[in-house]
């Protein structure tokens, strides 16, 4: 089927369902950023493969909404004769619906939208209609089967806290709130709470399922029992019951008269609809596992440090190899990404990439979440920018790092060096902050943008996201973003620090390290507790793109100290050739000319 055929087939199904339009989010029933092939409904319908977006299909027009990370990509992937493209923040769906669909019946799949997202569409003046079955699924003839990877125990030596202890703490929070149970729709919460991991997604070690946690610390897991081998059943213990997903409705109906916590941002609307019909009382509140999961315990923190040190060896080997290979112009975006993956596969405890590497040369680097394909792959040429954003999943931690490189052999243009240096200044400004407890990520986002703002530049994405512990490379609830919820930063959280600058059609710049939130040392006149960041990532910056004249002495000093730390911690674990390259790459910048 062509894109036009798919759109026509969906519209025919909508007429049969008695609705005038339909919402197609980039989501599956677990509302996560990453979905299995069976959940790629948006990609099947319109060809857009980004990890964030929503389509609205009417009988006479259709629109895709996505954020600034994907606008360039969407322009390339959509058929403009079939689809309008809108910026999801600057041109939200509610405004488009108000203009094009006021008074009309718009269908939705209640498994694919949280209550909060549906409420944000109410001002559009449309009638939102939950449909018993998804009409898109009915016309997707070759839809893949759901994944069936096994759930496996995550060893205590990496988890740090037993599943029973985690359930007890979460159950106590429910009791203190006067709640009888909580719905767990986020598979990340299941993985962390029950100390299990899985293989249902290619880069995030999840077993997809749902959970019901009760105030007595007992719990039910709803997933195909065939995914739970005997070893995992024993690991879960007697207080955890495994039931098929088909048992969910009956389990919720048994909660009549009970108070049940439902996260309105992270739970499919089907749960609230079913609970209301059963006569349960819904307490809107955050997933009780989300914040404890984000605040890594000491074992998880130590694991993150160890994973980053090991990953740094693979990065150093890649950077040394690239410095020699790039000027020869024989490598492509895909071959370079493959070489980095080959180095990572030699690292102990490595399990998988934490996401498909973003390997973008020249103009492709300006596509914020570019992914090289057989069709788009090209040679990495001399004297251009190359952006490599990648990460690894290790049993003891998750990594995510971006470096922007200059291929040489000639010098980088002055304008490019100035913009790279300003991005680096923002990166340093965030990494070196001390801030009082209670401050949230959105309060700090501007520090990373200031150097760019001073010359009228900016970037159209958040500055940083949370990162899990052998879990998702994108983890809530904290983030450095103006659009994020103001969740106070807390010790143990790991977030990325990744400002950038993108010149469409020419190049992209992004520099990313992961930061661990920790308590800051007390100062003489300090009247409240302060926090600071520990930099976890260990990889040198691109000297050929730094303009030392733009840096303040403190910034040069920080770079020199960081590079010295990289050399001291990474070089001893490297082969002699890589160690020699590191000594040059990590040498002090020196005073500007």
């Amino acid at each position: 089927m062509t894109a036009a055929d798919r759109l026509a087939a969906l519209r025919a199904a909508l007429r049969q369902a008695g609705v005038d339009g339909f919402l197609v989010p980039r989501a599956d029933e677990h509302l996560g950023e990453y979905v299995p092939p069976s959940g790629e409904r948006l990609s099947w319908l319109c060809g857009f493969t980004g990890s964030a977006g929503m389509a609205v299909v009417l009988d006479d027009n259709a629109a895709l909404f996505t954020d600034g990370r994907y606008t360039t990509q969407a322009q390339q992937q959509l058929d403009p004769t079939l689809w309008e493209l809108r910026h999801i923040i600057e041109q939200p769906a509610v405004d488009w619906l108000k203009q094009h669909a006021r008074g009309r019946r718009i269908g939705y799949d209640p498994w694919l939208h949280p209550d909060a997202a549906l409420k944000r569409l109410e001002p559009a003046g449309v009638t939102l209609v939950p449909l018993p079955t998804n009409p898109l699924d009915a016309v997707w003839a070759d839809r893949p089967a759901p994944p069936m990877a096994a759930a496996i125990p995550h060893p205590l030596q990496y988890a740090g806290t037993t599943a029973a202890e985690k359930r007890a703490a979460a159950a106590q929070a429910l009791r203190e709130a006067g709640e009888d149970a909580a719905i767990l729709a986020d598979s990340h919460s299941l993985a962390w709470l029950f100390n299990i991991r899985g293989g249902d997604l290619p880069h995030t070690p999840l077993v997809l399922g749902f959970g019901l946690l009760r105030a007595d610390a007992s719990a039910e897991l709803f997933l195909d029992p065939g995914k739970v081998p005997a070893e995992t059943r024993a690991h879960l213990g007697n207080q955890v019951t495994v039931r098929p997903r088909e048992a969910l409705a009956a389990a919720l109906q048994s909660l009549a008269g009970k108070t049940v916590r439902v996260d309105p941002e992270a739970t499919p609307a089907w749960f609230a609809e079913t609970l209301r019909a059963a006569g349960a009382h819904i307490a809107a509140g955050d997933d009780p596992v989300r914040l404890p999961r984000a605040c890594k315990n000491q074992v998880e923190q130590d694991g993150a440090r160890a994973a980053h040190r090991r990953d740094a060896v693979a990065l150093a080997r890649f950077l040394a190899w690239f410095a020699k290979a790039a000027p020869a112009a024989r490598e492509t975006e895909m071959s370079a990404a493959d070489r980095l993956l080959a180095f990572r596969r030699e690292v102990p405890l490595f399990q998988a990439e934490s996401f498909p590497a973003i390997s973008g040369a020249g103009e492709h680097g300006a596509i914020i979440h570019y992914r090289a394909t057989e069709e788009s792959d090209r040679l990495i040429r001399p004297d251009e920018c190359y952006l490599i954003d990648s990460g690894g999943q290790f049993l003891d931690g998750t990594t995510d790092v971006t470096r922007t490189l200059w291929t040489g052999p000639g010098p980088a243009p002055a304008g490019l060096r100035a913009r790279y240096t300003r991005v680096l200044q923002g990166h340093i400004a965030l990494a070196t902050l001390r801030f009082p407890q209670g401050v949230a990520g959105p309060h700090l986002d501007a520090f990373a943008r200031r150097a760019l703002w001073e010359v009228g530049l900016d970037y159209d994405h958040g500055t940083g996201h949370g990162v899990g512990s052998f879990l998702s490379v994108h983890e809530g609830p904290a983030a450095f973003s103006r659009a994020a919820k103001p969740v106070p930063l807390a010790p143990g959280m790991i977030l990325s620090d990744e400002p950038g600058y993108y010149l469409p059609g020419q190049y992209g710049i992004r520099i990313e390290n992961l930061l661990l939130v920790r308590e800051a040392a007390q100062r003489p006149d300090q009247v409240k507790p302060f926090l600071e960041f520990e930099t976890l990532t260990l990889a040198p910056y691109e000297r050929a793109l730094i303009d030392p004249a733009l840096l303040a002495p403190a910034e040069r000093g920080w770079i020199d100290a960081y590079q010295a730390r990289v050399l001291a911690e990474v070089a001893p674990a490297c082969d002699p050739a890589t160690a020699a390259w590191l000594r040059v790459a990590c040498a002090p910048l020196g005073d500007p000319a």
Side-chain angles (χ1 to χ4, degrees), residues 53-101:
M54 183 179 76
V56 181
V57 177
L58 305 179
D59 56 4
D60 51 356
N61 55 3
L64 173 75
F65 301 83
T66 190
D67 62 43
R69 296 172 298 168
Y70 293 113
T71 49
T72 301
Q73 176 180 331
Q75 288 168 356
Q76 297 175 352
Q77 294 181 327
L78 293 181
D79 181 343
T81 67
L82 302 175
W83 295 92
E84 298 179 36
L85 175 60
R86 293 290 180 263
H87 193 294
I88 201 166
I89 297 173
E90 298 172 1
Q91 303 163 309
V94 64
D95 292 346
W96 192 89
L97 284 167
K98 188 183 299 183
Q99 178 182 353
H100 295 281

Side-chain angles (χ1 to χ4, degrees), residues 362-589:
E363 72 284 357
H364 287 164
I367 302 172
I368 297 172
H369 272 200
Y370 171 74
R371 183 173 180 181
T373 65
E374 295 291 344
E375 294 75 25
S376 69
D377 188 28
R378 75 162 179 82
L379 279 173
I380 302 170
R381 304 180 188 120
D383 294 330
E384 69 174 356
C385 268
Y386 170 68
L387 187 153
I388 178 70
D389 183 347
S390 68
Q393 291 285 11
F394 301 89
L395 287 175
D396 54 352
T398 301
T399 69
D400 182 5
V401 52
T402 308
R403 289 296 183 263
T404 303
L405 310 174
W406 178 249
T407 59
L416 172 60
R417 294 174 66 220
R419 287 168 178 172
Y420 177 95
T421 303
R422 287 188 178 276
V423 171
L424 181 57
Q425 286 176 304
H427 172 86
I428 295 168
L430 184 57
T432 55
L433 275 177
R434 296 179 84 256
F435 51 94
Q437 280 190 1
V439 166
H443 305 143
L444 305 183
D445 179 80
F447 285 91
R449 300 178 190 267
R450 178 179 174 177
L452 288 168
W453 284 356
E454 286 175 346
V455 291
L457 304 178
D458 201 2
Y459 49 94
D460 196 4
H461 60 74
T463 297
H465 53 83
V467 176
S469 179
F470 188 41
L471 277 172
S472 180
V473 74
H474 289 174
E475 176 180 87
F480 301 124
S481 169
R482 288 168 287 186
K485 290 177 63 177
V487 176
L489 300 179
M493 289 181 173
I494 296 175
L495 301 100
S496 68
D497 171 9
E498 51 180 311
Y501 173 74
Y502 309 89
L503 188 59
Q506 295 192 39
Y507 60 80
I509 300 166
R510 187 161 64 251
I511 305 170
E512 177 186 19
N513 286 346
L514 296 193
L515 306 176
L516 171 65
V517 182
R518 66 185 184 189
E519 294 179 357
Q522 183 80 16
R523 292 188 175 174
D525 297 325
Q526 190 173 310
V527 295
K528 62 172 69 174
F530 270 63
L531 302 174
E532 64 183 7
F533 298 116
E534 172 188 340
T535 297
L536 296 174
T537 306
L538 297 168
Y541 302 113
E542 178 56 276
R543 299 174 66 87
L545 290 175
I546 297 175
D547 184 350
L550 291 178
L551 297 170
E555 292 169 332
R556 290 198 301 274
W558 186 91
I559 293 170
D560 285 346
Y562 173 79
Q563 308 267 66
R565 178 188 164 207
V566 171
L567 182 63
E569 295 192 27
V570 180
C574 292
D575 59 90
T578 301
W581 177 87
L582 269 177
R583 284 192 288 274
V584 175
C586 295
L589 291 177

